[in-house]
Amino acid sequence: MTDSTLTTTTAPAGPPAPPAPAPAEGRLKTYARLGKLDVYDYYLGTFIALSAVVPLTGRTAALFGVFLVGQVLLLMAMTAFDDVTGFRDGSDITNYGPDHPLRNVRRKPLVAGTLTVPEALRFAWTCAALAAALFAVTTLLAPHRPAWTLIGLVVLWVVTLQYSYGVKLSYHGFQEVYLVALGFALVILPYGMVTGQATGLLLVQAVLFGFGPLMFGVYSNTNDVDGDRAVGRPTVAALVSERGNARFIGALSLAEFLTIAGASATGIAPWWFVLLMLPASLLRLRQYLLGFRSGDIMRARRTGFAVHRLGVVLMVASHPLAAALG
């Protein structure tokens, strides 16, 4: 997994020598690096659901808090498993080795030599077990327990751990679908347990939140296409031509906007929702132009994070705004 996306990148042609071990640092900090705790973009969906719940009681506030901590632990487990896979297949050693001096090797503790594989695996399984326990507490706190939320929590836990470990879903062509599904689940599940339903607006916003990780993930895949092909990871970028990949990402960008516009046009969202989201839509267009008109894929990827964060702020704002406008 790269620093901020759900990808495993370039595999070496032969077994490369790992870089020199990084200087020692505190163990807690090292494990935080392994879990990519500083990458918070996947945790923001909870706040979209939270903003839609009025009034907020002590019990529902506790539910959101427990679910948030649970998802943080689950995603830390996923990234730790991802680093184990990347270290074992040699891709992280290549990507953080001498040929890439600008990349901070500390962000890959296995490559840096500050953790061993058994230590990383113990950390991953511990985080996974704690996440399962907190998801169980979430269901106990839930005022409503529709079957789809209970099933969804189980599926979320199981599938997340299989992303690049175990059955390695991302190595079988499911990466793009998974990124949207992950974001969708992180928004809709806590809302469903609090309200017992899934409104049309929240369903739309859950999909849009899922587009965030997708739309910086596909730019990472574009940058990492040679490595993904080398390890047999069938991302769209690895399977199609450069022009085909550009068209695919352009189609995704357009689909995101049409989702917003369609929700406003059909009454699923307020008529002004498309206008509220326009700054994020225009920034998405800029992202595409940076990547495929200017050819600066990595800058376009960074812009994707800005689009995602701005979109979350606007979606959170949509709920008190809707209440104020009646």
Side-chain angles (χ1 to χ4, degrees):
M1 180 167 171
T2 60
D3 294 349
S4 301
T5 60
L6 301 174
T7 57
T8 302
T9 52
T10 313
E25 61 181 3
R27 299 293 283 177
L28 287 178
K29 190 171 184 178
T30 300
Y31 280 114
R33 291 184 188 277
L34 179 67
K36 308 299 181 288
L37 190 57
D38 60 323
V39 181
Y40 58 85
D41 297 87
Y42 300 100
Y43 312 141
L44 299 177
T46 300
F47 298 99
I48 297 175
L50 181 61
S51 68
V53 176
V54 179
L56 186 66
T57 67
R59 181 177 177 179
T60 55
L63 183 151
F64 279 115
V66 172
F67 180 80
L68 178 61
V69 176
Q71 70 167 283
V72 170
L73 287 165
L74 181 62
L75 293 178
M76 288 178 72
M78 182 189 69
T79 58
F81 281 131
D82 194 83
D83 274 15
V84 169
T85 298
F87 180 74
R88 283 175 168 172
D89 69 19
S91 59
D92 283 349
I93 294 174
T94 297
N95 291 330
Y96 287 80
D99 292 337
H100 297 274
L102 298 180
R103 304 191 77 170
N104 183 5
V105 71
R106 284 183 179 271
R107 295 193 63 81
K108 295 290 183 179
L110 294 174
V111 178
T114 54
L115 286 177
T116 65
V117 169
E119 288 173 329
L121 288 173
R122 282 196 295 270
F123 172 80
W125 283 117
T126 299
C127 287
L130 291 173
L134 289 178
F135 284 172
V137 173
T138 300
T139 63
L140 295 177
L141 290 169
H144 303 275
R145 300 184 185 92
W148 61 267
T149 61
L150 302 180
I151 295 170
L153 280 176
V154 173
V155 172
L156 173 65
W157 188 87
V158 172
V159 173
T160 298
L161 300 182
Q162 302 299 316
Y163 177 74
S164 58
Y165 194 76
V167 301
K168 299 182 182 178
L169 292 172
S170 64
Y171 285 79
H172 299 285
F174 295 103
Q175 184 183 107
E176 291 83 5
V177 174
Y178 172 81
L179 293 177
V180 177
L182 173 64
F184 180 87
L186 295 178
V187 174
I188 210 65
L189 289 177
Y191 183 80
M193 286 185 285
V194 169
T195 66
Q197 61 180 338
T199 66
L201 177 58
L202 254 292
L203 288 170
V204 168
Q205 291 185 333
V207 171
L208 294 175
F209 181 77
F211 260 90
L214 173 66
M215 295 305 292
F216 47 76
V218 291
Y219 284 86
S220 289
N221 291 343
T222 300
N223 182 70
D224 301 335
V225 60
D226 292 336
D228 286 336
R229 286 172 177 162
V231 299
R233 195 171 199 175
T235 66
V236 170
L239 293 174
V240 302
S241 66
E242 183 176 342
R243 176 175 292 185
N245 183 54
R247 289 175 175 172
F248 171 69
I249 294 177
L252 290 178
S253 303
L254 179 60
E256 181 184 42
F257 175 75
L258 292 177
T259 299
I260 298 169
S264 286
T266 59
I268 295 175
W271 65 266
W272 44 261
F273 184 64
V274 64
L275 300 178
L276 178 69
M277 297 297 294
L278 191 58
S281 298
L282 292 175
L283 193 57
R284 181 71 76 204
L285 175 62
R286 174 170 171 76
Q287 179 189 18
Y288 184 81
L289 294 176
L290 280 171
F292 296 101
R293 180 72 61 83
S294 302
D296 194 340
I297 292 296
M298 296 308 288
R299 188 178 172 196
R301 187 195 68 149
R302 291 192 297 272
T303 301
F305 291 101
V307 179
H308 180 62
R309 294 163 188 172
L310 175 60
V312 169
V313 170
L314 295 174
M315 285 188 280
V316 166
S318 71
H319 297 287
L321 182 59
L325 295 177

